[in-house]
Amino acid sequence: MMSEVNYKQPGITSVFNKKLIIKGSLWLALITILTIAGIFFYNNTGQTIRALSHISYRYIVICLLMLFIDLMLGSWRNHIYIRKLNPAVSQWVSFKANAANMFMGAVTPAHGGAGPAQIFVYTSKGVSFVNAFAVSLINMGATLIFMPLAGFIAIMLMDTSMVSGMVPAMLKYGFSFFLLFLSAFLLAFWKPVWVGSIIKRIAGILSVLLPARKDKLVAWAQRAYENIAKYQQACSIIVKQHPFLFPLSLIITTLLYLNKYCMQYVILLGLGVHASLIQVISIQVLIQFMIYFAPSPGGSGFAELSISVLFGKIVPAGLPVFTLLQRSFLLFFPALIGAVVVIDLLRKQTVSGKG
């Protein structure tokens, strides 16, 4: 009975369904293949093939180790909270929750399915929906704080001659969304009544414009108001009872993303390219920053184009190979691991529904 209730939590099943997952996966694959193919043919094909044949595979092994570290840091960032809220939940559950998060983030626009996937895994293992949501929300707050700060530092440290074309527009897009979501997060955490009142006002305006939907809009606004207060209270209790966990979450978040950023440097070494570590990290910070809220699954298309523009001067000969390896280690490989978790959960959901 526990799993049946958890599977039907509002806001999760609407994202966690087979049709959406298949559609997102297809769009991710199609856009990525077309974009990388375009980069391949735009660049010198002969040089690209030579770059592929000269890969040093010991660096690929190092990248695999860094991928494992990435998955572990992501799971630890959640588990430092979960082990306090529900000690019976193992580290392995947090590992699966993080992997599912990465897969659903890859196949949905703007990482929209990442949080629900993580909550889905935790609630299926007995964590209350409110606690699972609160942990996801708190760690989202850590990311919202870290990413803009990292973006500002990267802009100060990197060679600005590389920033041209579509990059300034995408940076403005990224900063706008991060600041918007960070403001909403802080406001919802410190002044939940204000946010609830704003939602009720919006619902009131929409009710005038759409009188036929007035009852539904009012009911939605009331549910949103109550849920915001409930989640804020849960977050507040967690933070107050365990005051050192959020700073620890910020540290783990920093290590998590530094590991991701350094992976590009190792890939370049594997291709025989020696570049400035600071420049490589700064460029990757901006790429991650720009594509985080991209309107395509996993930032596909936007990511590959950003890589080709910003890394083009560093690795001109093997750019398509670098782009493919970069996307594979940062997105495709962890998403494949997450896909295994998600498929198993969907299978259990189907069995539960039949039962």
Side-chain angles (χ1 to χ4, degrees):
M1 181 64 69
M2 172 70 75
S3 61
E4 182 179 351
V5 173
N6 288 330
Y7 285 138
K8 293 182 179 179
Q9 285 289 354
I12 294 184
T13 52
S14 60
V15 175
F16 221 106
N17 65 76
K18 292 181 182 178
K19 289 184 179 180
L20 180 66
I21 291 171
I22 293 172
K23 182 180 178 181
S25 300
L26 290 175
W27 275 113
L28 172 66
L30 179 62
I31 297 172
T32 300
I33 290 170
L34 289 176
T35 311
I36 291 180
I39 296 171
F40 181 84
F41 287 113
Y42 181 78
N43 288 269
N44 189 308
T45 306
Q47 289 182 342
T48 299
I49 294 173
R50 283 194 295 274
L52 186 62
S53 64
H54 287 91
I55 293 178
S56 177
Y57 289 98
R58 62 176 179 171
Y59 290 104
I60 301 301
V61 173
I62 295 173
C63 285
L64 289 172
L65 176 61
M66 295 177 78
L67 172 60
F68 174 74
I69 293 172
D70 177 73
L71 290 168
M72 290 306 299
L73 286 172
S75 65
W76 285 338
R77 190 169 72 143
N78 293 322
H79 199 65
I80 59 173
Y81 292 103
I82 294 297
R83 67 180 180 179
K84 299 291 186 182
L85 299 171
N86 196 329
V89 176
S90 69
Q91 171 73 42
W92 175 238
V93 173
S94 290
F95 183 90
K96 292 197 293 183
N98 180 59
N101 177 306
M102 297 182 81
F103 170 71
M104 288 301 295
V107 299
T108 53
H111 291 80
Q118 180 173 294
I119 294 168
F120 193 94
V121 174
Y122 280 129
T123 55
S124 70
K125 296 300 180 180
V127 179
S128 72
F129 180 80
V130 172
N131 282 343
F133 188 93
V135 170
S136 179
L137 195 64
I138 291 172
N139 278 329
M140 181 63 182
T143 300
L144 290 172
I145 291 170
F146 169 79
M147 290 294 286
L149 291 175
F152 280 120
I153 294 172
I155 290 173
M156 289 189 292
L157 294 178
M158 75 177 293
D159 180 3
T160 54
S161 65
M162 296 181 180
V163 180
S164 59
M166 67 173 183
V167 175
M170 290 188 66
L171 282 173
K172 291 179 183 177
Y173 175 86
F175 272 111
S176 298
F177 269 86
F178 266 101
L179 292 177
L180 176 64
F181 277 91
L182 179 59
S183 300
F185 169 80
L186 293 174
L187 192 60
F189 189 79
W190 295 111
K191 297 292 182 180
V193 176
W194 290 6
V195 178
S197 298
I198 291 171
I199 290 174
K200 285 186 174 181
R201 287 180 179 273
I202 293 173
I205 294 171
L206 292 175
S207 297
V208 175
L209 299 175
L210 303 168
R213 294 182 172 271
K214 180 178 179 180
D215 292 340
K216 290 185 178 180
L217 287 168
V218 171
W220 166 78
Q222 185 61 35
R223 284 197 307 272
Y225 183 88
E226 293 172 356
N227 286 335
I228 288 171
K230 185 191 303 180
Y231 301 141
Q232 186 273 345
Q233 185 179 17
C235 292
S236 181
I237 290 172
I238 292 171
V239 172
K240 287 178 180 177
Q241 288 183 346
H242 310 287
F244 297 107
L245 289 186
F246 187 70
L248 179 58
S249 175
L250 284 171
I251 293 172
I252 295 175
T253 298
T254 302
L255 294 174
L256 173 70
Y257 281 101
L258 279 177
N259 182 68
K260 291 178 186 288
Y261 301 150
C262 289
M263 206 180 296
Q264 278 64 234
Y265 183 73
V266 176
I267 294 172
L268 287 172
L269 291 177
L271 292 172
V273 177
H274 296 274
S276 166
L277 176 61
I278 297 298
Q279 289 299 310
V280 171
I281 290 177
S282 297
I283 291 171
Q284 185 54 38
V285 167
L286 293 187
I287 291 174
Q288 191 86 19
F289 185 78
M290 290 187 294
I291 69 171
Y292 198 89
F293 290 110
S296 61
S300 52
F302 295 94
E304 291 80 12
L305 289 174
S306 299
I307 292 169
S308 67
V309 171
L310 293 174
F311 278 104
K313 293 181 180 179
I314 294 177
V315 55
L319 185 59
V321 178
F322 172 76
T323 303
L324 181 60
L325 289 173
Q326 195 265 16
R327 292 291 278 165
S328 295
F329 281 105
L330 260 71
L331 185 73
F332 302 142
F333 292 159
L336 284 174
I337 296 171
V340 175
V341 175
V342 169
I343 290 170
D344 182 57
L345 285 171
L346 289 174
R347 180 183 60 79
K348 290 178 179 177
Q349 181 186 16
T350 302
V351 172
S352 176
K354 291 179 179 178

